[in-house]
């Protein structure tokens, strides 16, 4: 179990992209594209991209495609979620 006192190993998505399953890579890519569009004020589906990526992270973690550490690193570094357990 990870809590706020457990250090989160940071994964540079650009350099560590290939270690994730293809469906998760695609979800990260779509999230990043949506994030840039939303910042430019040209996109209103950003919430959907956030939820899709969070869902794909959960699926990857539960199925064993990524470790819990990797999942929390993605949640923290990509989605900005803080683990408060």
């Amino acid at each position: 179990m990870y809590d706020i006192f457990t250090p989160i190993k940071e994964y540079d998505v650009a350099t560590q992209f290939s270690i994730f399953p293809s469906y998760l890579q695609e979800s990260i890519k779509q999230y990043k594209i949506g994030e840039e569009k939303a910042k430019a004020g040209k996109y209103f589906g950003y919430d959907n991209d956030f939820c899709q990526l969070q869902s794909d992270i959960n699926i990857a973690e539960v199925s064993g495609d990524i470790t819990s550490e990797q999942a929390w690193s993605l949640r923290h570094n990509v989605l900005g979620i803080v683990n408060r357990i």
Side-chain angles (χ1 to χ4, degrees):
M1 179 73 61
Y2 294 91
D3 58 31
I4 60 172
F5 303 107
T6 302
I8 298 174
K9 182 177 178 183
E10 293 191 20
Y11 289 89
D12 179 9
V13 176
T15 59
Q16 299 293 327
F17 200 62
S18 64
I19 66 170
F20 301 124
S22 59
Y23 67 92
L24 189 52
Q25 291 178 25
E26 183 62 27
S27 189
I28 293 167
K29 178 182 167 186
Q30 291 304 317
Y31 175 79
K32 290 294 192 181
I33 290 170
E35 185 177 45
E36 289 304 313
K37 287 181 183 178
K39 285 179 184 175
K42 299 178 183 178
Y43 185 63
F44 301 105
Y46 182 62
D47 288 343
N48 293 333
D49 296 333
F50 182 96
C51 292
Q52 182 63 51
L53 178 52
Q54 173 66 340
S55 175
D56 286 344
I57 291 170
N58 292 343
I59 291 167
E61 181 182 17
V62 170
S63 68
D65 290 339
I66 63 174
T67 66
S68 289
E69 182 182 51
Q70 290 171 317
W72 275 109
S73 179
L74 284 171
R75 290 180 190 114
H76 177 74
N77 295 311
V78 179
L79 296 175
I81 297 172
V82 177
N83 186 0
R84 301 236 185 241
I85 296 176

